[in-house]
Each structure stands twice: as C-alpha cells, then as structure tokens.
Amino acid sequence: MNRIRYVLLIFGIGFSLNAQNYLWPTDASQYMTSTFGESRSNHFHAGIDIKTWAREGYRVFAIDSGWVEQVEIAFLGTGRTLLIQLADGRKVYFAHLSKFAPWIQKYIEEEQKRTGRFCVKLQFEPWALPVSKGQLVAYTGDTGAGPPHLHFEIWDSEGNPIHPFTVGLRIEDHVRPIIRALAITPLRHTAHVEGDFDTQIFTPMRLGPGKYILKKPIKIWGEIGFSISAFDKADIVPHALACYAFSLSVDGKEIFSSKYDYFPKSLFRQISLDRDERLHWNHKGQFKKLYNDQNIEIPFYRPSRWGAGILCGGMSPFEEGKEAKKTIALEPGEHPFCIQVSDYFGNTSEVSGTVQVVPLASLVNENPIRFRGQGWTGGIPGKMEIPQPHFENKFFSDYLYFYFRFARPLPEVPQCEITLNGWTQTEVALIPKSPQEFVGILPLDPGSNGNFFTTLSFSSEIGQESTFRDTLMVYFISPEYGGSMVSSDGICRIVFPPGSVYRPVWGTLRSRACNLRSPGLGKEYWIDPPDIPLKEPITVCFDVGSYTGENPKVSIYGIQGTQWPRFMESRWENHVLQAQTNRLFRFTVLMDTMPPRVWGIHPLRNAKLGNPPSQIRVRFADSLSGIREESQYEIRLDEIPLLVDYNPERSMAIGSVSESISSGKHVLKICVKDRVGNQTQIEQPFFILSK
Ligand SMILES: [Zn+2]
C-alpha cells in the first residue's frame, strides 16, 4: 500500500489508490517470460508474458468483475484478443488467445457469418456481456506473433498500461538482477569521457552477490549521461527479464531514478527516449538511459524533466531551450557514484565507481609525452608512404566526431582542417588514442549546414607528407521548422516536418549498394545518425519516376539488420515515390512482380475421398509486398467462399467445411494477391465417392 501511494504521489497518476485483490489471470503458470516495460524493437512491452510451456489451451480468467468490451481476431501481431472493462475503471487485455469461452465465441461466429470474414472485431455495450471474478473467458494460444504464451495487460482508466504487479499480482522472484555493463555518453561538444568524445562502455567486476565495482576512476568533463545494461532473473524460468527500478547516486546523494510502474500510451513507441538506441543499433546491448536528454517530460523518471540525470563536470551548466534543461554540476576532482538496479520485489544489485572530473586539456598535455616517450615509431625501413587511414564520422548531440586509424604508427599527431561550403576554415584538434588512432570533434550550430570538406595532413617517420580528403554533406533539422536531407546522388530525400524532432539534429543521408535479389534501385539510403528520436513521422521520397514511370508495383521498403525488406505503403506524386515512417530504417526501392506462392493444398488434386473433409488446408506466402489483410485471399469451395483462418507465421490457411457435402466432383478455387496486386489463382478438383 505504502509503496503504491508513494509512487502515485511522485508521478501524480489518476488511477485508484487501492491495490485490488485481483486473481492471477490463468492456470497456465505463474511464471513470466517477459515483463512490463521491456524494450521491444520499436515499442515498450505494455504487459507481461505468462509462460504456457510451449502449449495452447490453458484457461484464462477474468481477474475481477466487469464486462467484455471488445473481442478481436486480428490478422497479425496480437492474434485473438479480449478486452475486459473492470468495474473499478481499469481494463484488462489478453492477446495470442487460441479461442474464446463459448458464450463469447457465439458472437464471433455470428459476426463472421454476417461479414463473411474470419478476422472480426466486436465492441459491446457496457454490461451487455458481464463477467464475474474468476469466470473463464478464453484459452491461451499461439495466434499472432511469437511462440505460445499469454500476453496480459492492465490499463488505467485513461488507457495507459500499468505494471500488473503494482495492483497486487505476483510471481516468485528471489533472484537479484545481473549487471552487465555501464556506458557513459558525452552529451555536448564540451564534454569528454576518458579523453574520447564517443560513448565509452565499462564492464564492472563482480565482488559478490549483487555487488559490482569499477576500480579505475573514469575521467570525465562537461555534460555526460550514464546508461546501464542489466537484466533480471526470476525463480525457475531461464528468461532474462527487464529490471523494474534504477537509481543513480553521486557523492552519496540520489540524483536520478526511474521506475517502470506505468507509461503513458503516448510514449508507447518512444523507446529511443529510454534506451541508448545507438548502442542497440551497434549490437552492444540494451542500455537503459539514466538521464533525459530530450525536450520532453518522461513521467517514469524522477525528476521527469529535460536534463534529469545529466552530470555537468567542471563547467557551469549550459542552458538550452525555453524551459531550460537542468543538469547537476560537479566540481573538478573525484566523485564516487553508485547505480542500483532492482526488480519489483526489491531484489537489488549495485555497481559503484568513481568519476574524476578532469579537463580535456590536461589529458591532451599528458598524451604527447606518452606518445613520443614509448618509442612507437615502428616504421618499416625503406617504406616511406603511409597508407590512407580508415576514417569515420559520427554525429553526436551538437558535434561531429572524427576518427582516423592508420595501418602504421605515426610519429606525430596529424593536422585536421575542415572547410565549410568552400570558405569557413576550422581546425579540429586531434587527440591520439594510440600512435595509430586519432579522434577529434567539430562543434555544430544551426549554421552548420552544407558541405564539410576534411583535409588531413600526416607525415611518415622520415618526413614524407601525405594527405587524406573527405567530403560530407551536413544537414541541420530544427525542432521548430523541420528540414530535409538529400543523398549525394540526389535520388533520395527525407523530409522532417516542423515538430518531428525533440531537439536540434545534425546528420547526413548516406547510401551504399544493396545486394537484395529482388529487382530495384540497387542502393540503400539511411539517415546518419540512425538513432534520432522522432516525435512525428517523416517522409521518405525517391526521385525514380523517370526510370520506372509511376509503376504501382514499385514501392519503398525499409531494411533492418538481416530481416526481409519491409513494405512501406508508398504513393506517387509527380514521379516521386513517397512514404511516411516513424522508424529510421535503411530505405530502398524495389519492384515486386512476383505473385504469391501457393502450395500444400488439401485435399490433393483429383483426390478420391471416402468421407467429406472437415477441413480444407492451403499454404501460401508472398515475399516482398506481402499478405497483411484477409481481403488479399479467398478460398472457394464450389464457388462458395469459405471462412479461412490464416496463420502468417506458418503460411497456413485452414478453412472449415461445416455442412456435409454431397458425393461427386468438387472444385477448390484459391486466389491470393500481394499488396501491389500480383495474383495467383489455382483451381483444384477432388471427388467424394458415393457410399
Ligand atoms: Zn507480450
């Protein structure tokens, strides 16, 4: 009780203060395979997943009395779902069900008959379908995405998902979270972490149960933010679960905490506010941010405001925006810190360490001594030329990061000069990370828009001078006015409407060849940095109409990792192909001319059956634009459409033959269309023998 009241006071949420005596929703198990608030590819997990032992058909109960508000058979994702309005104002939502209780199923079947569709959605009037506490409402299943499990959510009266444990539901958990790594990110151009301007990852040493330590002080300066990679374990199940609460203390005082009691539904897809999206992209793990670096209130953070959790070492905090973000100032010198990670039941682990606030200048002055003193000349006699370096640019909050790596050690730090739009020249002071690796930054401002020309001069140990050159188009996107980015070949343009970003963003639109086997542009384009939190969707435009005409089979696709290209609903406007997105994929243009594949039809062609089949089974799938709606396929038996239950994960459609069919010849007609209109039609006869 106290705990819940405390949480509510902090976050000021309007749901009822009473912890209810809710029932656990199923007899499948009291184990979780996923918990509330977990990071999914592009959203927060809004409920818990209950283990069903790779099986279907466990009973699902109403956790309290109320009425059935909605039932749905969705084509993808959530599968069969049930929404119950509880008498106390909250709502309960179940997904991936195999079937509903017969008294609900009856309405589904009526609606299926009425619409001729298998996928239906029904809404009921208040109290039209009352349920009592403990009443059987459905059975667990495997519909929609993922393996068999019960997905279970509780919403407050406003429809915001809340952690089921906060209202009295429980699992057995006596295991502490496990801490994997800590990351520290410089958040302004005046900051550094260990003399570098890129995020640094630290792996702590485990001292004992729940105790981790970082022995070496971490040198920092300016605005920095901590993030942590940790997961929770519960009794019995092997699954890695999300942790419930985090806190960061510096000099013995808590400066930031987060608790995943609930999140507003408006933040459902804003996972990049809470997770270090770049580390995630680079496969470094799921790091929860312990700071708020965007101009938005995050209600499960304390404090919730912009700047919360951000440390500002050695400098007076930088004011930004109208509601000026607030950070915590740290004097030069050493400051102990501690990060605590807990699960809901108070099992806690902590990592402690020290940050040492040191200006960059003192590190750079140390470096050349180390650099020369250790005799890293290492040159090969007679070889005069130093090969061109490996080079990377990265965009950070308000600066551009430069990284050069040479195949051989250099005797001196190279000179790096940037020319903006052919006239403004700036020198980038490079810092050696080793005799072969150099890093530097260039601060960006709203005028940093245009062609950045980099010239790097370096010399070999016998004084042979060489130069490396690179050019980069930098685009500025303002939160107020938006902006756009164009690829260097002029083919792709991405438009950020006003209000689509939380804070100023600098970036570029990169491209490279893509070797998808499908016919298309042959190149993919992506925004660098790939981790910009988007407040509103952006528009991706491809100027390819002069090659393809306004071909309806040509669409924009989003690529992520090694997954199939994802079809994006695209439209032509003046020979420019456009699509909207709120995800930063790698984008390309593909032409889908392949009709869907249809196979595995039962009964077999010309089969002679002794008894009428109770089921018709057909498998079909489409590889590019895909099948995403029931209206894209139809199975007819003797010209009469069958109700078809299609499972896209297994490419399997099952139609039930309810009425007994006569002996003699019957014809199955299967018609499947993809999303750009390619179609496959198959007619297949079978026979029922007379008795
Ligand atoms: Zn789930």
Side-chain angles (χ1 to χ4, degrees):
M1 239 338 256
N2 277 342
R3 162 186 221 130
I4 288 169
R5 184 160 292 155
Y6 165 77
V7 164
L8 289 170
L9 283 177
I10 292 160
F11 298 136
I13 313 164
F15 57 75
S16 156
L17 288 179
N18 298 321
Q20 296 289 318
N21 232 341
Y22 291 146
L23 287 181
W24 187 254
T26 177
D27 62 359
S29 78
Q30 208 155 327
Y31 300 119
M32 282 194 311
T33 55
S34 290
T35 189
F36 184 82
E38 262 174 42
S39 309
R40 293 295 163 86
S41 61
N42 68 335
H43 63 268
F44 287 100
H45 190 233
I48 60 174
D49 288 346
I50 300 172
K51 194 171 179 68
T52 61
W53 314 102
R55 283 172 48 196
E56 304 185 27
Y58 289 101
R59 293 182 294 167
V60 176
F61 310 107
I63 65 167
D64 205 350
S65 59
W67 43 273
V68 174
E69 183 175 322
Q70 185 183 295
V71 283
E72 184 177 9
I73 300 184
F75 184 82
L76 273 176
T78 49
R80 273 159 230 200
T81 66
L82 174 64
L83 181 67
I84 295 175
Q85 170 71 61
L86 300 181
D88 68 10
R90 295 199 184 106
K91 291 182 195 219
V92 174
Y93 174 77
F94 301 103
H96 310 302
L97 302 167
S98 61
K99 54 184 183 184
F100 303 101
W103 54 275
I104 301 173
Q105 182 66 24
K106 174 176 102 184
Y107 294 96
I108 293 271
E109 283 166 18
E110 276 169 16
E111 183 69 0
Q112 287 176 328
K113 243 181 225 148
R114 195 183 69 78
T115 59
R117 291 281 163 90
F118 189 82
C119 295
V120 290
K121 183 173 178 173
L122 278 172
Q123 238 128 3
F124 297 95
E125 293 296 314
W127 300 105
L129 241 59
V131 292
S132 53
K133 187 173 182 175
Q135 188 173 359
L136 173 77
V137 289
Y139 296 89
T140 69
D142 183 28
T143 55
H149 68 279
L150 176 65
H151 174 95
F152 167 61
E153 296 181 11
I154 301 184
W155 304 347
D156 68 12
S157 53
E158 320 277 281
N160 303 307
I162 60 178
H163 196 317
F165 296 173
T166 61
V167 289
L169 294 164
R170 289 287 179 270
I171 59 157
E172 286 301 310
D173 184 354
H174 301 91
V175 192
R176 291 172 198 276
I178 289 163
I179 296 176
R180 273 190 184 134
L182 191 71
I184 304 183
T185 302
L187 297 171
R188 265 178 62 72
H189 67 268
T190 41
H192 78 81
V193 180
E194 291 283 279
D196 203 327
F197 315 102
D198 195 352
T199 301
Q200 303 293 308
I201 296 176
F202 305 91
T203 311
M205 207 174 83
R206 188 172 171 273
L207 288 182
K211 294 268 180 233
Y212 298 80
I213 191 169
L214 281 159
K215 280 199 169 151
K216 218 176 129 240
I218 301 166
K219 296 186 174 76
I220 61 149
W221 185 265
E223 281 183 22
I224 57 109
F226 281 90
S227 47
I228 188 156
S229 167
F231 62 93
D232 188 31
K233 303 279 271 180
D235 299 5
I236 316 270
V237 286
H239 303 270
L241 305 169
C243 303
Y244 163 69
F246 298 86
S247 80
L248 168 64
S249 305
V250 179
D251 294 327
K253 199 172 150 241
E254 183 176 292
I255 61 155
F256 174 88
S257 68
S258 54
K259 270 201 183 88
Y260 296 81
D261 280 308
Y262 102 110
F263 57 84
K265 59 184 174 195
S266 60
L267 292 187
F268 180 60
R269 297 206 182 277
Q270 301 303 69
I271 193 82
S272 60
L273 296 174
D274 183 57
R275 161 174 86 186
D276 189 309
E277 202 64 14
R278 189 170 306 193
L279 294 178
H280 174 66
W281 258 80
N282 295 331
H283 311 289
K284 298 281 165 66
Q286 300 270 358
F287 282 80
K288 284 273 186 196
K289 289 184 189 174
L290 304 177
Y291 60 91
N292 177 358
D293 65 337
Q294 301 290 326
N295 188 2
I296 181 179
E297 294 258 324
I298 300 181
F300 44 86
Y301 286 0
R302 191 157 60 98
S304 57
R305 59 170 162 72
W306 185 13
I310 296 178
L311 299 177
C312 187
M315 308 177 64
S316 46
F318 175 74
E319 305 268 309
E320 194 176 345
K322 281 195 193 104
E323 310 96 77
K325 73 170 189 224
K326 287 198 193 82
T327 57
I328 306 271
L330 281 189
E331 296 288 312
E334 296 208 342
H335 303 269
F337 69 85
C338 177
I339 297 168
Q340 287 197 330
V341 181
S342 335
D343 61 27
Y344 189 83
F345 304 100
N347 303 301
T348 301
S349 292
E350 62 175 49
V351 52
S352 44
T354 307
V355 285
Q356 191 185 359
V357 178
V358 187
L360 183 64
S362 65
L363 292 181
V364 175
N365 290 338
E366 274 170 22
N367 255 317
I369 302 159
R370 185 184 76 178
F371 192 49
R372 292 228 170 79
Q374 299 193 1
W376 269 327
T377 44
I380 303 159
K383 236 193 174 180
M384 295 188 290
E385 281 277 314
I386 301 247
Q388 293 278 295
H390 165 80
F391 169 59
E392 278 175 42
N393 262 149
K394 290 183 197 175
F395 289 92
F396 281 83
S397 58
D398 69 343
Y399 61 92
L400 183 60
Y401 176 83
F402 294 78
Y403 173 84
F404 299 95
R405 189 178 66 236
F406 290 86
R408 284 163 48 200
L410 298 191
E412 270 177 4
V413 178
Q415 296 281 310
C416 181
E417 204 173 67
I418 311 298
T419 311
L420 172 57
N421 291 330
W423 58 287
T424 323
Q425 288 197 347
T426 319
E427 198 183 319
V428 173
L430 292 183
I431 294 166
K433 283 184 70 86
S434 80
Q436 290 168 257
E437 277 179 301
F438 305 89
V439 297
I441 58 157
L442 183 69
L444 299 168
D445 60 43
S448 311
N449 215 349
N451 187 9
F452 281 58
F453 190 77
T454 304
T455 312
L456 183 80
S457 314
F458 53 96
S459 52
S460 69
E461 48 286 3
I462 59 155
Q464 174 86 29
E465 298 278 340
S466 304
T467 320
F468 166 83
R469 292 190 176 86
D470 183 74
T471 178
L472 175 75
M473 281 302 292
V474 175
Y475 297 92
F476 171 63
I477 310 294
S478 111
E480 293 84 14
Y481 307 108
S484 60
M485 299 185 184
V486 185
S487 62
S488 56
D489 58 12
I491 288 175
C492 182
R493 189 161 58 94
I494 294 185
V495 181
F496 291 75
S500 52
V501 292
Y502 292 97
R503 346 176 3 175
V505 167
W506 290 265
T508 195
L509 192 52
R510 298 194 189 268
S511 65
R512 70 176 180 206
C514 79
N515 44 7
L516 294 168
R517 265 181 290 162
S518 326
L521 196 51
K523 274 174 103 175
E524 57 188 31
Y525 298 79
W526 72 96
I527 295 171
D528 182 17
D531 57 347
I532 304 167
L534 292 178
K535 216 168 162 179
E536 299 291 338
I538 53 174
T539 307
V540 184
C541 309
F542 277 94
D543 192 353
V544 289
S546 47
Y547 318 117
T548 65
E550 298 199 350
N551 186 336
K553 302 207 169 172
V554 170
S555 323
I556 301 175
Y557 288 78
I559 310 171
Q560 195 172 40
T562 52
Q563 289 168 12
W564 268 107
R566 198 181 288 235
F567 175 82
M568 294 167 61
E569 206 63 62
S570 313
R571 65 191 160 86
W572 287 100
E573 215 175 283
N574 298 325
H575 288 279
V576 175
L577 191 60
Q578 313 192 352
Q580 285 213 320
T581 181
N582 52 18
R583 291 180 73 177
L584 299 180
F585 292 111
R586 296 178 342 252
F587 303 103
T588 193
V589 174
L590 298 172
M591 182 159 67
D592 182 3
T593 52
M594 288 280 285
R597 245 167 10 106
V598 178
W599 74 101
I601 306 171
H602 275 269
L604 298 171
R605 178 173 294 273
N606 295 326
K608 295 181 176 62
L609 308 172
N611 289 308
S614 61
Q615 277 188 345
I616 304 288
R617 274 177 292 139
V618 180
R619 307 192 71 184
F620 52 84
D622 184 75
S623 55
L624 273 184
S625 59
I627 298 159
R628 286 291 179 282
E629 273 180 35
E630 194 179 357
S631 59
Q632 290 178 249
Y633 52 85
E634 191 176 60
I635 300 178
R636 285 170 177 261
L637 176 58
D638 303 328
E639 293 303 332
I640 297 165
L642 292 179
L643 274 183
V644 176
D645 179 4
Y646 178 61
N647 181 330
E649 281 192 336
R650 295 184 200 147
S651 312
M652 170 69 86
I654 297 174
S656 37
V657 186
S658 49
E659 277 108 72
S660 59
I661 52 175
S662 59
S663 55
K665 183 181 176 184
H666 297 276
V667 179
L668 268 181
K669 259 191 202 168
I670 296 135
C671 179
V672 186
K673 273 185 284 195
D674 66 17
R675 277 187 287 183
V676 296
N678 299 300
Q679 183 171 319
T680 302
Q681 242 176 319
I682 291 180
E683 270 195 44
Q684 183 157 312
F686 65 92
F687 299 88
I688 302 202
L689 302 176
S690 48
K691 299 224 165 83

